[in-house]
Structures are given as C-alpha cells and as structure tokens.
Amino acid sequence: MNIENLGEIKAVAFDIDGTLYKNWHLYLRMFFHLLRYNQFFIKYGLVRDTLHTEEQLPDFMDEQARRMAQKLNTTTEDAKERLDRIIYNGLKKYFAKIKACAGAKECICKLKENGLKIALLSDFPPEQKGEVWGIKQYCDVILGTEAVGALKPSPIAFLEMAKQLEVSPEEILFVGNSHKFDVKGAKAAGMKSAWFVSRISSLFHKKSDEAEITFCSYPKLQRMLLGK
C-alpha cells in the first residue's frame, strides 16, 4: 500500500498504554490503588526511568526487581512479589473496566481488511490487558518489550517486532502517544511513525518534526491511511 509521504507500508504497529486507551481513564479507576501504594509507585517510576535508558538486559525482570529492592530496602524476592501484586496482577482488574479509544478497533479492523499486518508493542505485558478490547484478534504479532529485555525508546524491541512480522522496518508505521518513547524509538529502528495527540494539542496544531503523521482520533487516522 502506498500512502502519500510514507512510501510502501506493509504493517501498522501500535503502542497500547495511552494509545489504544486514554491514560486518564485508567488513572481515574485506579485512583485509590495509586493512593494506597503511593510511595511504591514513586520508586517504581524512578526505577523504570533508569531502565528506559538501558540497552538489552537478558534478565530484565530480575534486574528490575533487584533495583526495586534497593529502593524499598528489602530483598529481591520481596520486591518481585510486590511488583507482581501491585503492578502486574494488581492492575489487571482496572484494564477490564476501561474502553478502547473511539474508533480504534474499527480502524485496526479496516487496516487488516486492506491487507496490512497488525502488531502491538508495549512496555508492559500485553497479556495484562486480556483480549485488548477486541483488537487482539486482528494482530499478527503481540510483543512486550520487557520480554525482549529493552524498553522503548531502544530500537531493539522494535527490530524484534519487525523480525517477527517478517517486514522490513522501513515498511512499518508505528503508532504511539509518547514522542519520547514511541516516535523516537520507531525512528531509531528505521520505521515510520504516527504520533497520537490530544484534541486540545491538535487544536493548537501541535506537530512533530520526526513523526510522518500527527493525529488526534482513530477515524482521522483511518481516513489518512485508507482515504475512507
């Protein structure tokens, strides 16, 4: 498929968190969970900030737990148990209560119908979101960067996704809401990118010097890519 200014695109890949659903929908539902474990989330955020700058770690989950243990002044085993209880299993129920962005499922379905491969690439376990609001059925590849050992914006997970898709990086359009992690990570891997911004940002004509596409709704993205 030839899309103006993009060249040939054979696959469209999506970030999940903040891209397939609105972050504030999740934060609203998990407010009391955030409040209860406030200090844990602060320290978790600090650890993740450092992990975002790392190259590939063969034992990512163990290393994350080790660094959390240092922050929490506890054992690695205890930190790992808390991560699972508070973050990985602890957040599952909240994802079941939120909805995908308006038009996201329909857009992805149309892209699939038009012969494009579909992928999901997330910094958190995709399985945490269950069937991903009905989008999972359209996906050729679903990949978590933690399993690869390198969080965004490292190009390593992006390139692994391309490998599994059996599509050259330059023939992949990556869609994400984070300019720092999604757009820059995709570009570092040689992919095209589409930056998902809020409607308010769109009203002020917020654009990216790096992303080929900036959009504020999935119906708009569908029209931009398919002309319908």
Side-chain angles (χ1 to χ4, degrees):
M1 175 174 293
N2 283 290
I3 303 168
E4 188 177 0
N5 299 325
L6 290 183
E8 187 174 13
I9 298 297
K10 294 183 178 178
V12 182
F14 295 82
D15 168 55
I16 297 178
D17 300 286
T19 299
L20 294 183
Y21 70 88
K22 300 288 188 180
N23 278 328
W24 70 266
H25 287 179
L26 175 64
Y27 298 152
L28 182 65
R29 283 160 178 75
M30 61 181 286
F31 175 77
F32 290 107
H33 188 73
L34 283 169
L35 193 64
R36 179 180 180 183
Y37 297 108
N38 176 261
Q39 290 302 306
F40 183 91
F41 276 102
I42 290 173
K43 292 171 181 177
Y44 176 70
L46 293 172
V47 168
R48 294 288 285 202
D49 283 344
T50 64
L51 289 170
H52 276 292
T53 67
E54 298 282 347
E55 289 302 316
Q56 191 170 26
L57 297 170
D59 55 348
F60 181 91
M61 300 304 284
D62 289 339
E63 180 62 20
Q64 177 175 255
R66 186 186 69 78
R67 296 187 190 189
M68 278 299 294
Q70 292 177 339
K71 295 287 186 185
L72 298 168
N73 193 28
T74 187
T75 65
T76 300
E77 290 72 22
D78 180 60
K80 189 175 292 187
E81 186 277 329
R82 290 199 221 180
L83 281 163
D84 188 59
R85 175 166 48 85
I86 298 171
I87 302 292
Y88 295 110
N89 280 324
L91 297 182
K92 279 184 179 180
K93 62 182 179 181
Y94 300 106
F95 288 111
K97 298 178 182 179
I98 61 177
K99 295 180 180 179
C101 291
K105 180 181 176 181
E106 293 78 8
C107 174
I108 291 170
C109 177
K110 288 295 184 182
L111 293 173
K112 186 72 173 180
E113 287 177 356
N114 277 267
L116 291 164
K117 289 187 174 182
I118 302 296
L120 301 180
L121 179 67
S122 175
D123 273 338
F124 295 95
E127 58 270 19
Q128 191 181 45
K129 285 81 176 178
E131 294 301 309
V132 199
W133 309 288
I135 293 168
K136 183 178 180 180
Q137 62 183 310
Y138 303 114
C139 295
D140 299 278
V141 171
I142 299 177
L143 186 62
T145 62
E146 293 174 319
V148 179
L151 301 181
K152 303 169 188 173
S154 168
I156 293 173
F158 289 90
L159 293 173
E160 176 59 28
M161 178 187 68
K163 180 181 177 182
Q164 292 188 24
L165 279 169
E166 298 182 334
V167 174
S168 299
E170 62 270 19
E171 296 175 324
I172 298 173
L173 175 70
F174 191 82
V175 181
N177 71 308
S178 170
H179 198 275
K180 180 179 180 181
F181 298 134
D182 296 320
V183 173
K184 288 186 177 295
K187 300 303 286 185
M191 299 177 183
K192 310 297 193 302
S193 62
W195 187 26
F196 184 31
V197 300
S198 68
R199 291 185 182 275
I200 293 175
S201 294
S202 180
L203 286 174
F204 287 96
H205 304 288
K206 189 172 184 178
K207 296 285 185 179
S208 166
D209 292 331
E210 297 179 70
E212 283 77 12
I213 291 173
T214 300
F215 72 102
C216 64
S217 75
Y218 280 94
K220 182 175 182 179
L221 178 65
Q222 182 178 323
R223 290 193 298 272
M224 293 171 77
L225 297 182
L226 301 176
K228 55 185 176 180

